[in-house]
Amino acid sequence: MISYFFVALSKYPIPPLIYSSSVPLKKGSRVIVPVRNAKRTGYVVGKASAPTFKTREIMEIIDKEPIISEKMLLLAREMAEKYASPIGEILDLFFPPSRLKGLKPKVKTNKYITLKASISNILSSHLGSRESELIEQLLESNTIEYSTALKKIPRSTIQSLLRKNFIEIVEFEGEPPSEKKVSLNEIQKKIVQEILLTPQKPHLIYGVTGSGKTEVYFEIADQVLKTGKKVLILVPEISLTPQLLIRTRARFPQYNVGIYHSSLGTSRKIEWNNAIKGKTDILLGTRSAIWVPIKDLGLIVVDEEQDESYKQYAMRPYYNAVDVAQRRAEIEEAIFVLSSATPRVETYHLAHTEKITLHEIHFRPFGKMPEISVVDMRHRKGEILSDELVREMDKTARDGNQTFLFVPKKGFSTRVQCLDCGYIFTCPNCDVALTYHKNLRMLKCHYCGHTEPFPDKCPICGSKNVVRGGVGTEKVEYEVSKIFPGLRVKRIDREEINNVESLETVLKEISQMKVDIVVGTKMITKGLDFPRVALVGVVDADHTLAMPDFRATERTFQLISQMSGRAGRGVLGHVIIQTREPLNSALRSIVSGNADDFYRTEIERRKKLDYPPFKELILITSLGKAPDMAKKRIDTVKKKIEDGPFEILGPVESPIFKLMSVYRYQLLLKCDDLPKSVDFLVKRLTQNTLGFDPTSTLKIDVQPYSTF
Ligand code: ADP
Ligand code: ZN
Ligand code: ZN
């Protein structure tokens, strides 16, 4: 009997095609089908009735049992609709990329052995006596330094256990976290209970860094695992460190803990296989892990839910893993927990309108919150470091503690300008000001990498009166060294620290107190945990505030809150924020320690301006090598969708009009009904204008993270 199926093609973004098959097939199976003269992989997404046109036959079946469940297929279908993507493009995300390059990135670190498999797995197999010896030691202490183990246990024994996948060698900087199953305090216990009592509702754990949020979701995970279900924990790219993996393994020695992210190299496939076969109990991963077709999922946690790395914006499909996670949890009836010290304004709003259950933790169990003050930099022309900040830096150093200075931009001078005609030196490929790098003695573009020598005259008026303005990390480092010649200063930015090794090295120096002052960009705001940082200086709070984006204030709030979180981990901390906008709502609420004030003000503002969560945004960008082609295209698009169920802003030149020699125009849509709006766009704009072809020049970003 011949039957017909809709097959969505892999890596070939068009709507599903109909093929015939003489054998029965299950939905969700992968198959090989002919497309013109080539063979392609496809996904069976549904049954079709016999078409009137001639169809070709499915050539091969890849999965005897489909890896993609009905529920995951439903998720794929919904997300394809939500993000205006063909379903094949979403289904591709369920699998590790077929061509994986390289091994895990190498870093010079300490090697530790940890248990990889669960205890029951290991004990149910036959072990040699040397093998048992090592396993027993690991059960006792969780980790053993590789070199220490080698002194007592032959290398062949370790190798054999590695081959059986019972143990793993993990490398990282510093000491492994010691296993301590904490007993939760009353607030933590109450949150755990409340979440377990209403598993069908989404939950937000909202509390400052170090307030014990991780311990709360660990406990929930523990309860879920006991029922035999699996746990998925999503973390921002920057936080997925070996330390976190070890901490999780140490907390759950009886379970298999897997890891999934894009820079795993070839081991990504192994991790994926373990997860889909049910061998992994807890999967820790970044954005892409949300698509791993784990069966029996009982809990999804999203840590630091506001993190930008959850949004895929640089390539199709432009999804946000937090939103996908919420829908996946609903479909799979898994518990859904968000955790953050600085949630997105939208999430905060949902938590206060009871669409998400809010759980607050106000205090750190240990350590105090730092004291925060603002220095008004208006009328202090040319001053980079205020007297107040310098005085405090001096005191901090005399106490034997460390200072972190946050500077938003790298380089020496962030602006080079002609004093006579006002011309600002910009990149020939991008529409951005060039930064002067003193050590390179060059002007550099931070978007495309273009460099040129420092000019001896203005190309417009010929004047020699060319000056440098704007402050970058190099300049601050230079100033600090001048003021404190005796102190050891380190700079951390992408220019100075361009690989994992150099980052690990400098972090080690900081923890060994070989550095007094750290000057750095956003790279230093997150995750770093040093007990001796007593002072954090925000050299320029105004930069992110001035971004032409609806999230500018929110970003500043999150950035400075996180930066402040660096202070006072072990010693009493102080934060000094330099700004020309001392009355800004974000800054004021950071100083008063009242985050709710910030959120309330910001929600009011978003409401007035019709921004999320009150209206949803769609950003349509037209890209072209020639500006008039890009413009023509965006005008055409606008005409085609003018009667849509949304408000259209634009077209305007994108905030960075020219980027890497590509010109960009954009339309911003404000929608009351997002699904209806996306549906309208898909119907109105033909496949070609929609950019299903990867070389196409129209980008439709549903719920863009920023409009910048
Ligand atoms: P967050 O996730 O909010 O940053 P963590 O859960 O990581 O906070 O907790 C910060 C530190 O405090 C960790 O070292 C953790 O083990 C410890 N901690 C958290 N809760 C407790 C508790 N109830 N008793 C003892 N230590 C705790
Ligand atoms: Zn000039
Ligand atoms: Zn450039």
Side-chain angles (χ1 to χ4, degrees):
M1 233 263 300
I2 303 277
S3 22
Y4 298 90
F5 297 94
F6 284 107
V7 175
L9 297 183
S10 169
K11 298 184 184 60
Y12 201 67
I14 55 169
L17 304 173
I18 298 178
Y19 285 91
S20 65
S21 168
S22 48
V23 289
L25 276 176
K26 286 188 184 149
K27 269 199 273 183
S29 308
R30 280 179 302 173
V31 290
I32 305 278
V33 291
V35 179
R36 296 207 189 93
N37 297 323
K39 288 180 176 181
R40 284 190 166 271
T41 305
Y43 308 97
V44 177
V45 293
K47 267 190 92 97
S49 42
T52 50
F53 49 87
K54 206 167 161 301
T55 53
R56 298 175 77 180
E57 202 173 331
I58 288 171
M59 301 163 89
E60 241 176 83
I61 303 165
I62 300 176
D63 309 312
K64 277 183 217 90
E65 267 314 302
I67 290 167
I68 303 165
S69 65
E70 293 263 349
K71 285 178 173 175
M72 284 297 274
L73 199 56
L74 173 66
L75 180 74
R77 188 169 292 127
E78 285 189 15
M79 293 304 127
E81 272 169 27
K82 170 162 182 174
Y83 294 111
S85 281
I87 186 168
E89 193 171 60
I90 301 284
L91 289 168
D92 280 345
L93 298 168
F94 288 20
F95 298 84
S98 44
R99 249 168 278 142
L100 290 165
K101 276 189 294 223
L103 296 162
K104 283 186 195 184
K106 274 262 163 287
V107 282
K108 264 212 335 277
T109 46
N110 305 330
K111 285 186 182 173
Y112 293 90
I113 301 176
T114 71
L115 283 179
K116 189 172 188 197
S118 66
I119 298 169
S120 56
N121 260 355
I122 296 173
L123 295 185
S124 65
S125 80
H126 176 74
L127 294 176
S129 65
R130 299 319 282 284
E131 290 181 332
S132 308
E133 196 182 323
L134 181 62
I135 296 288
E136 271 163 32
Q137 280 187 27
L138 283 171
L139 284 175
E140 243 168 61
S141 58
N142 284 304
T143 50
I144 299 172
E145 211 174 336
Y146 185 60
S147 52
T148 319
L150 271 184
K151 285 179 199 141
K152 288 181 263 171
I153 312 262
R155 192 182 292 268
S156 59
T157 305
I158 298 175
Q159 227 92 59
S160 144
L161 287 170
L162 280 171
R163 266 196 307 275
K164 291 181 189 162
N165 242 328
F166 287 172
I167 61 169
E168 182 174 25
I169 294 179
V170 189
E171 302 181 30
F172 61 94
E173 180 61 46
E175 293 285 299
S178 61
E179 205 268 338
K180 47 168 181 162
K181 191 167 179 295
V182 303
S183 46
L184 299 185
N185 60 35
E186 289 309 310
I187 301 170
Q188 288 170 317
K189 274 192 208 149
K190 190 164 152 273
I191 298 175
V192 171
Q193 262 172 14
E194 285 171 355
I195 294 178
L196 290 174
L197 277 175
T198 45
Q200 68 286 357
K201 277 201 74 176
H203 297 270
L204 169 67
I205 312 173
Y206 171 40
V208 292
T209 337
S211 60
K213 302 185 292 297
T214 306
E215 294 296 342
V216 170
Y217 69 66
F218 272 178
E219 181 57 32
I220 296 167
D222 211 351
Q223 302 291 333
V224 167
L225 289 164
K226 280 190 186 129
T227 67
K229 296 210 165 188
K230 311 295 184 200
V231 170
L232 174 62
I233 301 175
L234 297 184
V235 295
E237 266 158 28
I238 196 161
S239 337
L240 192 54
T241 56
Q243 279 92 337
L244 179 68
L245 182 62
I246 294 284
R247 181 178 173 188
T248 313
R249 292 218 169 114
R251 174 64 172 75
F252 298 99
Q254 67 275 46
Y255 294 108
N256 291 320
V257 180
I259 190 162
Y260 195 79
H261 59 90
S262 54
S263 42
L264 274 181
T266 41
S267 49
R268 187 164 171 191
K269 187 141 196 181
I270 301 167
E271 293 286 354
W272 182 84
N273 256 310
N274 287 340
I276 66 152
K277 298 227 168 83
K279 288 187 194 157
T280 306
D281 300 301
I282 304 172
L283 188 64
L284 269 179
T286 52
R287 175 175 82 216
S288 56
I290 191 53
W291 304 106
V292 178
I294 306 167
K295 298 200 170 74
D296 291 323
L297 200 55
L299 168 68
I300 304 178
V301 175
V302 183
D303 201 358
E304 300 292 352
E305 71 91 31
Q306 81 291 346
D307 196 86
E308 286 171 43
S309 71
Y310 289 125
K311 171 80 183 181
Q312 174 156 301
Y313 67 91
M315 61 180 177
R316 301 174 52 91
Y318 310 109
Y319 68 92
N320 186 331
V322 188
D323 300 334
V324 179
Q326 176 162 4
R327 191 58 195 132
R328 181 169 180 185
E330 254 166 43
I331 292 176
E332 302 215 50
E333 292 173 51
I335 300 175
F336 184 60
V337 176
L338 299 170
S339 166
S340 179
T342 51
R344 284 178 293 173
V345 170
E346 294 95 308
T347 308
Y348 182 94
H349 182 70
L350 287 175
H352 281 79
T353 49
E354 286 170 18
K355 298 225 169 53
I356 295 179
T357 311
L358 176 65
H359 309 275
E360 291 186 71
I361 312 180
H362 290 286
F363 303 100
R364 278 187 190 166
F366 306 105
K368 275 204 178 141
M369 296 308 285
E371 176 198 326
I372 303 178
S373 50
V374 160
V375 176
D376 184 353
M377 297 296 280
R378 287 176 294 185
H379 321 298
R380 298 199 198 189
K381 240 182 155 280
E383 214 168 293
I384 295 169
L385 301 171
S386 61
D387 293 342
E388 292 90 328
L389 184 52
V390 169
R391 220 178 301 130
E392 203 61 31
M393 286 169 75
D394 186 44
K395 179 175 174 298
T396 303
R398 273 189 281 111
D399 291 345
N401 290 325
Q402 291 165 315
T403 295
F404 272 34
L405 292 181
F406 168 68
V407 185
K409 299 194 85 177
K410 60 186 182 178
F412 193 83
S413 310
T414 55
R415 192 178 63 241
V416 180
Q417 192 169 20
C418 167
L419 268 190
D420 289 318
C421 74
Y423 173 74
I424 292 177
F425 285 74
T426 49
C427 174
N429 311 319
C430 313
D431 218 13
V432 293
L434 292 169
T435 297
Y436 173 61
H437 286 257
K438 196 169 192 225
N439 51 2
L440 304 173
R441 305 204 42 76
M442 290 284 218
L443 303 188
K444 189 169 178 183
C445 170
H446 290 168
Y447 286 86
C448 73
H450 164 88
T451 54
E452 56 186 67
F454 190 82
D456 50 8
K457 60 177 196 287
C458 170
I460 307 297
C461 73
S463 157
K464 298 215 158 158
N465 227 344
V466 176
V467 296
R468 303 184 294 241
V471 174
T473 45
E474 262 188 63
K475 176 94 158 240
V476 173
E477 179 192 23
Y478 176 80
E479 285 289 315
V480 169
S481 307
K482 241 177 28 191
I483 303 172
F484 300 106
L487 296 185
R488 296 158 298 180
V489 185
K490 274 274 173 211
R491 176 157 58 88
I492 302 186
D493 57 30
R494 286 257 171 262
E495 214 66 44
E496 181 78 4
I497 308 291
N498 48 23
N499 57 42
V500 187
E501 273 165 52
S502 49
L503 180 63
E504 294 277 344
T505 309
V506 66
L507 296 184
K508 192 172 191 167
E509 285 173 5
I510 298 171
S511 67
Q512 292 170 344
M513 293 303 292
K514 289 182 181 156
V515 180
D516 302 303
I517 298 170
V518 176
V519 177
T521 55
K522 207 159 86 177
M523 280 176 82
I524 62 172
T525 52
K526 280 182 209 165
L528 306 185
D529 197 347
F530 300 106
R532 298 287 289 279
V533 177
L535 174 65
V536 166
V538 178
V539 175
D540 173 14
D542 306 338
H543 177 79
T544 43
L545 280 177
M547 293 278 216
D549 184 61
F550 76 101
R551 263 187 223 283
T553 326
E554 176 182 327
R555 275 217 181 86
T556 308
F557 175 76
Q558 287 161 345
L559 198 70
I560 297 181
S561 302
Q562 273 158 8
M563 199 62 239
S564 309
R566 299 302 113 221
R569 296 242 153 176
V571 288
L572 202 58
H574 191 177
V575 178
I576 294 179
I577 304 168
Q578 301 190 150
T579 177
R580 293 198 165 83
E581 264 192 80
L583 297 180
N584 179 278
S585 70
L587 299 184
R588 271 194 317 188
S589 51
I590 287 172
V591 172
S592 67
N594 192 343
D596 293 322
D597 270 355
F598 159 73
Y599 282 106
R600 270 196 296 271
T601 317
E602 184 63 13
I603 285 168
E604 270 314 302
R605 197 181 67 90
R606 297 256 187 112
K607 193 174 188 170
K608 245 194 270 164
L609 298 173
D610 283 341
Y611 274 118
F614 302 98
K615 296 262 171 109
E616 294 299 342
L617 303 179
I618 300 175
L619 184 67
I620 304 182
T621 311
S622 161
L623 309 133
K625 289 266 174 202
D628 45 335
M629 292 308 286
K631 178 73 166 62
K632 211 170 180 176
R633 196 178 178 98
I634 202 84
D635 288 337
T636 314
V637 169
K638 183 170 182 180
K639 245 179 246 131
K640 283 197 184 183
I641 61 170
E642 227 148 21
D643 56 334
F646 32 65
E647 180 194 350
I648 305 178
L649 303 178
V652 292
E653 295 176 357
S654 298
I656 300 177
F657 177 40
K658 187 180 171 197
L659 192 65
M660 310 209 185
S661 300
V662 173
Y663 294 88
R664 311 182 311 159
Y665 284 92
Q666 66 186 38
L667 293 171
L668 186 65
L669 314 186
K670 288 182 173 174
C671 320
D672 285 312
D673 185 336
L674 192 64
K676 212 169 119 192
S677 305
V678 176
D679 189 49
F680 179 89
L681 290 182
V682 173
K683 291 203 174 106
R684 248 340 139 72
L685 302 169
T686 65
Q687 265 178 44
N688 273 341
T689 32
L690 250 190
F692 283 176
D693 167 352
T695 60
S696 169
T697 52
L698 201 68
K699 171 174 172 180
I700 297 183
D701 188 347
V702 177
Q703 292 178 323
Y705 198 86
S706 74
T707 56
F708 185 58

